[in-house]
């Protein structure tokens, strides 16, 4: 299968592409890492690429209640409607090609996650940014070590010595 890239060109202010990911795509709460490469970058010195990560809660996918999350591709923000809430989880600015760019973010285990990939401009020539190899890694699970048998026995022996000392 041919590798697909995300090409973004801004002709006025900020112009990102946005995607809203369902909470069901994440396995648990924890620290995740968004990884990507910037395989092409062009534009004036005062232009830049932009990547941001947002979380959103309280939305109604049926739109029956008016509680909605809006991917605002003019501002690269997750806007809210009704009683929904959103928060910026992380962002970075891009001014050159790069391999292995990363943004770590803390996921609460229940919210939707919005990703924005774009470019921002203040003058001509307008920026063009090509993003590739976009992925989100799950948090590593660190096992909690169980006490060894000898450590447990040492704890029991210490406790029994303290109990013996208190007896008359």
């Amino acid at each position: 299968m041919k590798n697909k890239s995300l090409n973004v060109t801004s002709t006025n202010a900020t112009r990102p592409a946005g995607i809203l990911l369902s909470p069901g795509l994440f396995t648990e709460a924890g620290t995740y890492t968004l990884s990507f490469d910037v395989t092409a970058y062009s534009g004036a010195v005062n232009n830049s690429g932009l990547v941001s990560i947002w979380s959103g809660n309280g939305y109604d996918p049926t739109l029956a209640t008016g509680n909605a999350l809006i991917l605002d591709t003019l501002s690269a923000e997750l806007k809210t409607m009704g009683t929904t809430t959103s928060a910026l989880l992380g962002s970075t600015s891009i001014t050159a090609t790069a391999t292995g760019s990363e943004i770590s973010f803390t996921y609460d285990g229940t919210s939707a996650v919005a990703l924005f990939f774009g470019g921002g401009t203040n003058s001509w020539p307008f920026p063009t940014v090509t993003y590739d190899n976009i992925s989100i890694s799950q948090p590593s699970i660190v096992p909690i070590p169980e006490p060894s048998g000898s450590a447990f026995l040492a704890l029991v022996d210490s406790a029994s010595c303290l109990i013996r000392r208190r007896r008359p």
Side-chain angles (χ1 to χ4, degrees):
M1 184 161 111
K2 186 176 177 183
N3 187 19
K4 302 292 182 187
S5 298
L6 174 61
N7 296 310
V8 180
T9 300
S10 178
T11 57
N12 183 15
T14 301
R15 293 288 188 257
I19 183 169
L20 186 63
L21 305 174
S22 165
L25 295 175
F26 296 87
T27 58
E28 60 190 47
T31 301
Y32 286 74
T33 302
L34 171 67
S35 303
F36 58 93
D37 297 333
V38 178
T39 56
Y41 177 83
S42 65
V45 174
N46 60 343
N47 295 337
S48 64
L50 157 70
V51 177
S52 63
I53 307 164
W54 290 76
S55 69
N57 283 305
Y59 67 98
D60 176 7
T62 67
L63 301 177
T65 63
N67 296 328
L69 295 172
I70 301 161
L71 290 168
D72 187 342
T73 58
L74 294 177
S75 66
E77 293 179 16
L78 185 61
K79 300 273 179 114
T80 62
M81 220 169 124
T83 60
T84 58
T85 60
S86 69
L88 178 64
L89 300 179
S91 67
T92 191
S93 183
I94 292 133
T95 57
T97 60
T99 304
S101 298
E102 295 183 339
I103 304 172
S104 291
F105 63 98
T106 302
Y107 177 66
D108 63 11
T110 61
S111 62
V113 173
L115 306 176
F116 290 96
F117 293 89
T121 184
N122 291 322
S123 64
W124 190 88
F126 304 130
T128 297
V129 186
T130 303
Y131 299 95
D132 204 356
N133 300 317
I134 300 167
S135 67
I136 297 177
S137 65
Q138 296 180 353
S140 14
I141 299 171
V142 179
I144 299 171
E146 294 184 23
S148 67
S150 58
F152 181 71
L153 290 175
L155 179 65
V156 170
D157 284 345
S158 298
S160 64
C161 287
L162 287 175
I163 292 171
R164 284 186 202 144
R165 286 186 185 175
R166 291 189 174 195
R167 289 186 182 167

